[in-house]
């Protein structure tokens, strides 16, 4: 199973809402990532978890809160978002200790619209 | 982090070979070069990775000259389904998990 799944596929939320994005992989990978991708732009790294510990936070606003409950799951909690946060949110995983040579497996993404 | 530069877009016809070149002048000794493909509304998909010389798999070939300051992704006999954005990435040799995507090349394959 080389699949990374993400739910929901689409999400519309108001600026006062609280919602969560979920990501799951069953490949035994120990590194998991969140990316944000705006239209016609490349993915931008937001967070990296390694062995369920947050290892990289790319200066992401606190209205985005990541959580890694176990080695297979990754959540992104959203609160008080702004319309400019509307984007495709991608989850990815890689095998073990990271490093630039590790292949990342991406999910299909959650398309988020903030009204 | 080594910065990458790719053409913004390319057009091709079905059955042709497509070569996409990526410049990475500041590549470090330990950095690998990786290419991903992305279709609209999907996550990127790994295509190929290399360190030096030539790498080939069932999908593509990757040519890396001796100075490693550039690399060329070669797609043999493209089809309409190869229309996508292709990203060249150069890893962070300081370690860790940072992945910086370049701007990408939009390949449009015509019939």
């Amino acid at each position: 199973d080389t699949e990374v799944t993400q739910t929901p596929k689409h999400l519309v939320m108001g600026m006062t809402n609280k919602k969560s994005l979920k990501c799951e992989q069953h490949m035994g990978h120990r590194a998991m990532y969140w990316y944000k991708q705006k239209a016609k732009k490349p993915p931008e790294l937001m967070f990296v978890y390694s062995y369920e510990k947050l290892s990289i936070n790319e200066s992401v606003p606190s209205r985005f809160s990541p959580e890694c409950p176990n080695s297979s799951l990754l959540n992104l909690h959203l609160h008080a978002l702004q319309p400019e946060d509307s984007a495709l949110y991608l989850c990815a995983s890689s095998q073990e200790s990271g490093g630039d040579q590790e292949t990342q497996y991406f999910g299909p993404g959650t398309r988020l619209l903030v009204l | 982090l080594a910065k990458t530069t790719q053409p913004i877009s390319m057009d091709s016809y079905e059955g042709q070979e497509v070569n996409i070149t990526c410049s990475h002048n500041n590549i470090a000794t330990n950095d690998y070069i990786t290419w991903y493909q992305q279709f609209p509304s999907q996550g990127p998909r790994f295509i190929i990775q290399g360190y030096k010389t030539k790498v080939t798999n069932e999908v593509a070939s990757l040519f890396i000259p001796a100075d490693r300051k550039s690399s060329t992704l070669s797609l043999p006999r493209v089809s309409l389904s190869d229309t996508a954005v292709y990203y060249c990435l150069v890893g962070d040799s300081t370690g860790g998990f940072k992945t910086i995507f370049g701007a990408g090349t939009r390949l449009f394959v015509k019939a």
Side-chain angles (χ1 to χ4, degrees), chain B residues 23-42:
Chain B
S23 297
H24 26 80
N25 291 318
N26 296 323
I27 190 168
T29 303
N30 295 330
D31 287 348
Y32 279 72
I33 301 152
T34 309
W35 286 79
Y36 285 83
Q37 173 193 56
Q38 187 177 26
F39 298 112
S41 297
Q42 293 187 27

Side-chain angles (χ1 to χ4, degrees), chain A residues 31 33 35 37 40-43 45 48 50 55-56 58 88 90 94 96-104 106-109 111, chain B residues 30-34 36 38 40-46 49 87 90-93 95-104 106:
Chain A
Y33 312 70
Y35 289 85
Q37 186 174 27
K40 298 194 187 302
K41 296 290 186 183
L45 185 65
V48 182
S50 172
S55 62
I56 293 179
E58 289 289 271
L88 180 68
L90 293 162
S94 67
E96 189 176 351
S97 56
D100 55 294
Q101 65 267 38
E102 284 201 352
T103 299
Q104 290 187 31
F106 284 81
R111 187 158 302 281
Chain B
N30 295 330
D31 287 348
Y32 279 72
I33 301 152
T34 309
Y36 285 83
Q38 187 177 26
S41 297
Q42 293 187 27
R45 183 177 72 103
F46 172 85
Q49 184 182 75
Y87 293 103
V90 174
D92 176 8
S93 64
F97 305 85
K98 281 201 172 186
T99 309
I100 309 297
F101 281 78
R106 293 184 176 275

Side-chain angles (χ1 to χ4, degrees), chain A residues 41-43, chain B residues 3-6 22 85-90 99-105:
Chain A
K41 296 290 186 183
Chain B
K3 181 182 173 183
T4 60
T5 304
Q6 305 172 234
C22 178
V85 179
Y86 292 83
Y87 293 103
C88 164
L89 285 71
V90 174
T99 309
I100 309 297
F101 281 78
T105 298

Side-chain angles (χ1 to χ4, degrees), chain A residues 16-65:
Chain A
T16 58
N17 292 158
K18 284 185 182 181
K19 296 286 185 183
S20 296
L21 309 184
K22 296 185 185 302
C23 173
E24 191 166 3
Q25 56 88 14
H26 294 288
M27 295 178 277
H29 290 174
R30 303 311 300 268
M32 295 186 76
Y33 312 70
W34 280 115
Y35 289 85
K36 173 183 177 180
Q37 186 174 27
K38 302 282 275 185
K40 298 194 187 302
K41 296 290 186 183
E44 296 176 23
L45 185 65
M46 299 174 72
F47 302 104
V48 182
Y49 274 82
S50 172
Y51 290 85
E52 294 121 71
K53 287 186 168 44
L54 183 65
S55 62
I56 293 179
N57 176 342
E58 289 289 271
S59 302
V60 179
S62 59
R63 57 186 184 269
F64 295 92
S65 175

Side-chain angles (χ1 to χ4, degrees), chain B residues 4-111:
Chain B
T4 60
T5 304
Q6 305 172 234
I8 293 173
S9 65
M10 294 180 70
D11 287 346
S12 182
Y13 288 93
E14 280 190 295
Q16 288 188 332
E17 178 184 72
V18 170
N19 295 310
I20 305 174
T21 297
C22 178
S23 297
H24 26 80
N25 291 318
N26 296 323
I27 190 168
T29 303
N30 295 330
D31 287 348
Y32 279 72
I33 301 152
T34 309
W35 286 79
Y36 285 83
Q37 173 193 56
Q38 187 177 26
F39 298 112
S41 297
Q42 293 187 27
R45 183 177 72 103
F46 172 85
I47 301 176
I48 198 165
Q49 184 182 75
Y51 182 78
K52 62 180 179 180
T53 63
K54 178 183 174 183
V55 179
T56 297
N57 61 24
E58 64 277 6
V59 176
S61 294
L62 179 60
F63 299 92
I64 305 168
D67 66 6
R68 302 198 333 119
K69 292 185 184 300
S70 68
S71 58
T72 299
L73 174 72
S74 181
L75 304 172
R77 297 180 297 283
V78 294
S79 64
L80 296 176
S81 62
D82 292 316
T83 294
V85 179
Y86 292 83
Y87 293 103
C88 164
L89 285 71
V90 174
D92 176 8
S93 64
T94 63
F97 305 85
K98 281 201 172 186
T99 309
I100 309 297
F101 281 78
T105 298
R106 293 184 176 275
L107 173 65
F108 186 67
V109 180
K110 295 179 273 192

